[in-house]
Amino acid sequence: MRKLVLISFLLLFAAAQSFAQSRTINGTVVDNTNQPLVGVTVSVMESQRSTQTDVNGKFKVDADNGQTLRLTYIGATTVNLKVDAQTKDPVIKMETGNNSLNDVVVTGYQSQRKADITGAVSVVNVKDVASIPTGNIMSTLQGRVPGVTITNDGTPGGVGTATSIRGITTINNSTPLYVIDGVQTRDNIATLLNANDVESIQVLKDASSAAIYGTQASNGVIIITTKKAKKNETRINFDAQTTLQQFHTGIQMMNAQQWGDTYWQAYKNDGQKPNHDLYGNGDVPVIPEFIDSKKTIRSANTNWANQVYHNALLQNYNLSVSKGSENGSSTFSFNYFDQDGLIKNTNFTRFNGRVNSDYNFLNNRIRVGENINISKWNEKVKPGGIEELAIAQHPIIPVYDIFGGYAGPTQGIGDKPNPVRLLDQQKQNRMDQWRIFGNTYIELEPIKNLVYRSAFSINYRTGFSSVFEPKWKEGDRTVDKNTLSTTSDYDRNWIFTNTAAYNFTVRKHSFNILAGTEAKEYIAENLTGYRENFLIEAIDYRYLSAGDGKQTNGGIASRNAINSYFGKINYAYNDKYLLEGNIRWDASSRFGLNNNAGVFPSVSGGWRVSQESFLKSISAISDLKFRASWGKNGNDQIDNEATYTKYLTNLIRAGYDIGGINQGTIPNGILKDRTGNPNVKWETTTQTNFGFDLSMYASKLNFTLDYFVKKTKDMLIDRPYIAIIGEGGYTAYNGASLSNKGFEGVLNWRDNIGKDWNYSLTLTATAYKNRITSVPEDIYYTFGGGNGIDRTIVGQPLGSWLGYQTNGLYTTQAELNDGVTQQGKGLGRIRYVDTNGDNVINDRDRVWLGSDQPKFTGGFNVSVTYKSFDFAFFVNGMIRDAYNNSKFYTDFFQLWTGNHGTRLLDAWTPSNSGSSIPALTAVNLNDEARTSEYFIENGSYLKLKNLQIGYTLPMAIAKKARMKNLRVYLQGQDLLTITSYKGADPEGLGYPYPLPRLFTFGLNVGF
Amino acid sequence: MKFRLMILVLLLCSTACKKDFLDSKPKGKLSDELLNTPDGIESLCISAYSALAGPEGSDGTFLSPTTNWVYGDVRAETAYKGGGGIGDIGEFNAFETFTAVYASNGLLDRKWFNLYSSVQRANNAIRRLNAVSVEQVPLKNVRLGEMRFLRAHYFFELSRLFNQIPYFDENVATEDYIKIPNNQFTRDQILEKIAGEFAAAADLMPATQPQAGRATKYAAKAYQAKVTLYRAYKQNTNNTLATIDQVLLNNVVTLCDEVITNGGYQLLADFQQLSQAEFDNTKESLFAVQYSINDGTPQGRINWSNLLNAPRGPAYSGDGFFQPSQNLVNSFKTDANGVPLLDSYNTTNLMTLQDGLNTNVDPRLDFTVGRPGVRWKNYKAAPYGLDWVREPATYGPYSNKKALVSPESPFMVKGFPWGGSALNFNLIRYPDVLLWKAEALIELNRPLEAVPLINETRTRAKNSKYVVAWNSASNTDYAAKYTIAAYQPGVNCTWTQDYARKALRFERKLEFAMEGERFFDLVRWGAAEQVLNNEYFIKEKTVRTYLQNAQFVKGRDEYFPIPQPQINFSGGLYKQNPGYL
């Protein structure tokens, strides 16, 4: 590695020698809006000498009077400047037009012009999502970035948003790496980033663009840059948003009478006389006045969804102040975000403060700065499983009994707790956290274009949670013990990064070289306390010392560290042929000392065909570039201590009352926890990418398409083992492999009609296929849901369902005589398919039934402006299968004694023979809860995700009011869903925190 | 220029840190070497004992209970799964009805794994005990005896659940486990080895231990008797009863006599004391799983196997699993002389409070079964009622009463886990020894000698304090017409070998009802098919609809299938039990 560093300096030295002749021109290049232009090629036509402008748009080139400077920049009109005696420090303006190719894209440790990029990098159009209310910027990008899958739920603050890039790369943690202003993290960005602060987002998708992050890059890298002050501008911005959130994804459940009727019918179908503990045993079900023997719980007709969900408010306020000058700039921003959840008593409140500043000295040869975010957030979380409970709870149960206490289930109606009690109990629990996130840096530029940068980053989180379980009574279930559990914890994470970069141009050859080192340490520790018996339950007494009962405590810690060296070289010939190489060497504490290092190389190339003379004549094509890349990335998201064999003391699993004393201190025992594997190594992902970028009709049309093949091998899995080895036999090892192959593209058209109408249409599409490609022999038939006998997950997508095929229902006697032995078969019962042809339905008939991985995802955004009005809408969707597990409640009376869906009212009967819903029965003789095609539905959907309309005060009027701008807007989120999925929401399968429908009013003012 | 370069190179290399930067030791965990100390070994021994209560601790133990309530009673004619309908832990419903019990059933794999984990906890302690001297660990030999006792117990459980099992000792290297087949030894050979282990353990251990939870010499001898009794009933390879070995039966008698003569055990005065934690580890208990509350764990090292098995409100708020069957309730009926209705007990159903007042019943009925209208232990607010049951329409009106302490007991946890308590679970209690000996004597065709042994338990039941009626007028105003008497050959019965066998088997059913033994008894006797298909299901399904399709398959259902994942891990070395795919 050091050699590479030395080589880079030798090169630098050689280049430096070529200076110091004739006279030096110090120029600056700016765009239409007087912002510096980076990466403009400045060449002296006569001498073939050439250079590029730096981040401040400045360049330095030697030229004699009479020679001509030629400034070229993609999409801009070339400027020729004759050097004469008067030419001193020229400021040159270039008309860049409406072209994104010149956008500077922040890639690993550096920035590049988009036109020069050879990997697969998506640049997010942050403007499109800027006014969508969210605590987590990623949540707004769903369907807008090709190749990026974002799953949202309604958890306040966007805490439940998950992102994956180009399929499921690993069975381990597949969160991408976030790099926020140069600080790497995998923490939930809802807790460290104010969406209003975001200036740009870049997604590094292929191996070559991410390879500079080495072992951390397998899952892709998302680079986020926050807003900084612009040169010579002072700005105050204020944003306010108020949002109403509505619950809109309920499932139609039965009322108390329908439930009784269904029960009666089910028993009649079984040839039994209906007899229910509450509804009596008459000819028809009778709702009793009370549902308990003590007559304290009046029967009701409760819609539990109404008790759990409510309309909720989201508020978001943001104030930022920035000031830029020649020698430095500073920005302060403050954000207050407060979102109540659809589920009662849930909330996320966050306060963010960000400060960044940078200053330069010695004629910009030294630059120092920092970018620090401080956030404080509180969460009120939901009781676990409350969403399912809202469906499952029986409607005959009231919320309260006649004394105002909580009512609960009695007989024959399940044993689920009262959701309202759970919600009330959760209300006063505390979860407060603070985080300091950011870095400070120094940049030295001892000679022109050689930049040495040293940055120290921290990510320090500290949290406190207090969970109190009061005494409670619900129906006849009583708990007369209260308990308090508190946890205090911290994560301390630091990164020390040192890089040197040098770029230079020799004739038509331009080079950009980077070398660096990085060290990183992560430490986490917690302390927990638990106590029972609090005499007084009031909120101010919920501290451990106020209790007087049993108390316990606990604490654990974890640590890992990485040491790295990396280098990168970019080469371009005549703006036409592009080549990039990356290499990173990482050593991690997660792996044994003898085997802890890995090397991750990548190469990529680009050919800007549009620069070739044969295409230059075709004026319709503004730009055409073909790209190809190959590289290796790693994944280190495994147990910190996988290399060690561990034993632990564990009172719960190994303690024993050997003295037979029944109460008091019992001796502790030791058990084996894990078996170490000193030879574990990284997961590696090898990815090949082919793509092209096409820009036509003066950049009105932009089209990017990528094809990728991504192969992950040596996935770290816990080796299952033969049981006779006993507990603690699990050992991490490099086992399974999988692959993802797919296409992703984005097509954009923007134009104007007349001078008042502007519009832009953007279509994104992603299609990929995930497949497990190999699994070790000993778990070939068991890993990933195999049947253990002859069905393996190999060849199937991860998460595939193994189950029974179905062939509708048995509807006629003739069908029943099909000669297949299916225990419990009967009219109106599900007809399972005898896939192995042995005429018996048993677990050998289970086959792979697919998975819920999306086959296609896409988004379509339209934005239109007319004079001062702007209008936009966004539609996204997905094609996939879904396993609708709510059918357990909605379609099968026999599986559960709580509530059921109204779909059951349409169950099959000889007279309702068109129904596909199995006949009502009270006994599950046909075992219909088994995993089968019956539960699998078309889970595809199309959603009107966002619709907004805004009005911006015309400049002239705004100026009079001493404002720079004023915009007001209205918008709606999740407004319409088109789907045939029968569950709650095809976007969130299972029972996630439901996504709200949002209506927002917002305001931005700038001074 | 060169100077600047040097600075840069130095700065670039500044992150080459201290050597141990990349060596992160586990936090809060123990290494292998630390365990070879006397303290470490003692803790490993505790851990091996702890596995009696389930190596999974508080969370998963109920899914592979060590009290055998699912395997021993729900599979027999004595109990239902109970709880919230047949889909509530459907795997157990499969066991109960003997339908769709597949080798892929995850809860069987779990049980298998947990038992072998338990074996290995003992092995881990044994290996390290073997390596130390008596000077280092003065109790080395006693502990070795205890560990061999525990290991033998875990193997015995494996044997009677799965039959064809890999059997090994502590001297197997990890890489060799994969080479151990499950058909290396026959059932007979495995039981012989297990009995031998108990014999060896008995030689190493003292008659009494300073700590009540530890195994003793006579507990080991009693267990040896039990295993020998199982072994005496030889089985064919298709699980059917072949012969009954008279020599082994004589061994059983000898071993039981040793325990009876020298062990110093007695029956508790009152049957109900078996449900009181105050009487844990007293004279009737030879070896018990120790449970505790307020013991430093968050919720107590209570009987997590029974987590779901308390009735619901008002007294316990439980989940209502493990309910006695109608057949079991009927079994407690006695004739006018107080002798069980060995043949006709199941012709009518004893269902209501009134039925109990009209019929003669064994007082153990209301110690064992929660019955509507009957007083529940010391609970004062109301008698046991139908509203204590989770789903009476499916699983009938009864609840398990024996395994629960009275709700006001200081040994019961308040709140969750519902009804959890420090009440021990006896693996061997003295009536076991008496009835094993009686069983051996009867099969040796010495039935008369069995009479006093069987009568000992009946007399204790007779002399117990009966349950009084809810609105009792006096101390003798009982909740049912309790009538029980000892067998008096020639007076209230005709004591032939055949009658004695029936009486013995019936006595075991009543005395050990809901203690997780019944199914294993039926299989040992070769009676499972007859009892389950011809006597139980055919009748029981008329009151419990869900049993319609229940059917015991002879030659298959005596044992569970070998879990498929284990067959896979063995690379096909393990052979599946007969009758399973």
Side-chain angles (χ1 to χ4, degrees), chain B residues 45 48 56 93 103 125 179 181 193 195 197 203-204 231 269 379 448 480 498 503 516 520 532 546:
Chain B
C45 291
E56 288 183 277
N93 182 63
K179 299 174 192 158
K193 284 172 181 294
E197 281 293 300
D203 288 342
L204 288 165
R231 193 181 159 217
Y379 187 69
L448 268 177
D498 189 47
F520 305 116
L532 292 172
Y546 76 94

Side-chain angles (χ1 to χ4, degrees), chain A residues 718-744:
Chain A
D718 263 351
R719 174 171 235 135
Y721 56 94
I722 195 160
I724 56 173
I725 288 174
E727 65 201 337
Y730 275 108
T731 174
Y733 79 133
N734 298 94
S737 307
L738 58 74
S739 81
N740 287 281
K741 289 178 191 178
F743 285 96
E744 63 204 21

Side-chain angles (χ1 to χ4, degrees), chain B residues 390-411:
Chain B
R390 179 112 165 250
E391 299 207 353
T394 309
Y395 286 117
Y398 311 114
S399 290
N400 178 16
K401 198 171 186 179
K402 201 188 229 176
L404 291 147
V405 297
S406 191
E408 87 295 340
S409 165
F411 295 103

Side-chain angles (χ1 to χ4, degrees), chain B residues 105-400:
Chain B
N105 186 310
L107 295 190
L108 286 179
D109 194 39
R110 191 177 193 126
K111 181 66 184 170
W112 173 284
F113 174 72
N114 281 340
L115 280 170
Y116 275 106
S117 288
S118 306
V119 166
Q120 290 293 23
R121 283 191 186 182
N123 273 340
N124 201 349
I126 291 171
R127 266 195 302 277
R128 292 168 206 266
L129 281 165
N130 285 339
V132 293
S133 64
V134 177
E135 286 70 38
Q136 288 168 290
V137 179
L139 287 172
K140 171 181 171 174
N141 288 320
V142 177
R143 293 289 179 264
L144 268 176
E146 294 173 36
M147 292 302 109
R148 291 177 70 173
F149 175 97
L150 291 176
R151 182 173 64 183
H153 163 69
Y154 299 132
F155 270 125
F156 179 67
E157 292 288 89
L158 280 161
S159 166
R160 61 182 186 165
L161 286 168
F162 296 101
N163 200 25
Q164 298 194 81
I165 55 165
Y167 186 92
F168 51 86
D169 65 11
E170 71 278 10
N171 299 313
V172 180
T174 307
E175 57 273 21
D176 292 334
Y177 281 113
I178 198 82
K179 299 174 192 158
I180 304 172
N182 73 329
N183 58 356
Q184 187 177 3
F185 304 110
T186 62
R187 170 180 179 270
D188 188 61
Q189 288 168 321
I190 283 175
L191 291 176
E192 182 182 14
K193 284 172 181 294
I194 294 170
E197 281 293 300
F198 280 121
D203 288 342
L204 288 165
M205 288 189 292
T208 57
Q209 290 260 32
Q211 286 171 303
R214 295 194 186 274
T216 61
K217 180 184 287 293
Y218 291 104
K221 289 209 182 274
Y223 218 139
Q224 189 190 345
K226 181 177 187 178
V227 177
T228 308
L229 182 64
Y230 271 70
R231 193 181 159 217
Y233 292 83
K234 304 284 184 189
Q235 282 178 6
N236 298 315
T237 49
N238 65 356
N239 307 341
T240 53
L241 180 64
T243 55
I244 305 177
D245 186 305
Q246 302 290 303
V247 178
L248 291 173
L249 290 176
N250 275 313
N251 286 350
V252 174
V253 175
T254 312
L255 286 162
C256 289
D257 277 338
E258 270 193 75
V259 177
I260 292 167
T261 314
N262 303 322
Y265 300 104
Q266 286 176 14
L267 298 184
L268 285 167
D270 190 324
F271 192 84
Q272 287 210 70
Q273 290 165 348
L274 291 168
S275 301
Q276 290 172 264
E278 290 82 350
F279 291 88
D280 280 355
N281 302 318
T282 46
K283 57 191 179 178
E284 184 167 331
S285 176
L286 275 79
F287 189 66
V289 184
Q290 305 290 323
Y291 294 111
S292 51
I293 64 167
N294 297 327
D295 50 11
T297 64
Q299 293 165 314
R301 192 79 174 102
I302 55 135
N303 186 342
W304 289 100
S305 295
N306 283 0
L307 173 63
L308 306 175
N309 299 356
R312 54 186 296 276
Y316 297 98
S317 305
D319 295 293
F321 276 64
F322 193 29
Q323 293 179 251
S325 69
Q326 187 62 51
N327 180 295
L328 178 66
V329 171
N330 293 345
S331 305
F332 285 97
K333 288 189 279 191
T334 56
D335 70 8
N337 297 319
V339 172
L341 304 172
L342 298 180
D343 293 315
S344 62
Y345 74 96
N346 210 22
T347 50
T348 58
N349 289 330
L350 193 175
M351 293 181 113
T352 62
L353 183 65
Q354 197 55 45
D355 288 348
L357 292 165
N358 294 342
T359 319
N360 295 331
V361 294
D362 187 315
R364 285 175 290 191
L365 169 64
D366 289 321
F367 301 148
T368 308
V369 178
R371 245 177 1 111
V374 176
R375 186 181 288 270
W376 180 277
K377 301 177 188 278
N378 300 329
Y379 187 69
K380 303 241 163 36
Y384 176 90
L386 207 57
D387 58 352
W388 293 43
V389 188
R390 179 112 165 250
E391 299 207 353
T394 309
Y395 286 117
Y398 311 114
S399 290
N400 178 16

Side-chain angles (χ1 to χ4, degrees), chain A residues 722-790:
Chain A
I722 195 160
I724 56 173
I725 288 174
E727 65 201 337
Y730 275 108
T731 174
Y733 79 133
N734 298 94
S737 307
L738 58 74
S739 81
N740 287 281
K741 289 178 191 178
F743 285 96
E744 63 204 21
V746 55
L747 180 65
N748 167 262
W749 174 264
R750 57 187 164 190
D751 202 355
N752 52 303
I753 304 170
K755 79 176 186 12
D756 290 336
W757 288 93
N758 288 292
Y759 68 97
S760 156
L761 314 173
T762 309
L763 186 68
T764 60
T766 305
Y768 70 83
K769 216 172 171 177
N770 171 279
R771 211 160 56 88
I772 303 277
T773 50
S774 82
V775 162
E777 195 185 359
D778 54 342
I779 52 169
Y780 193 73
Y781 291 113
T782 46
F783 179 81
N787 69 352
I789 303 155
D790 55 5

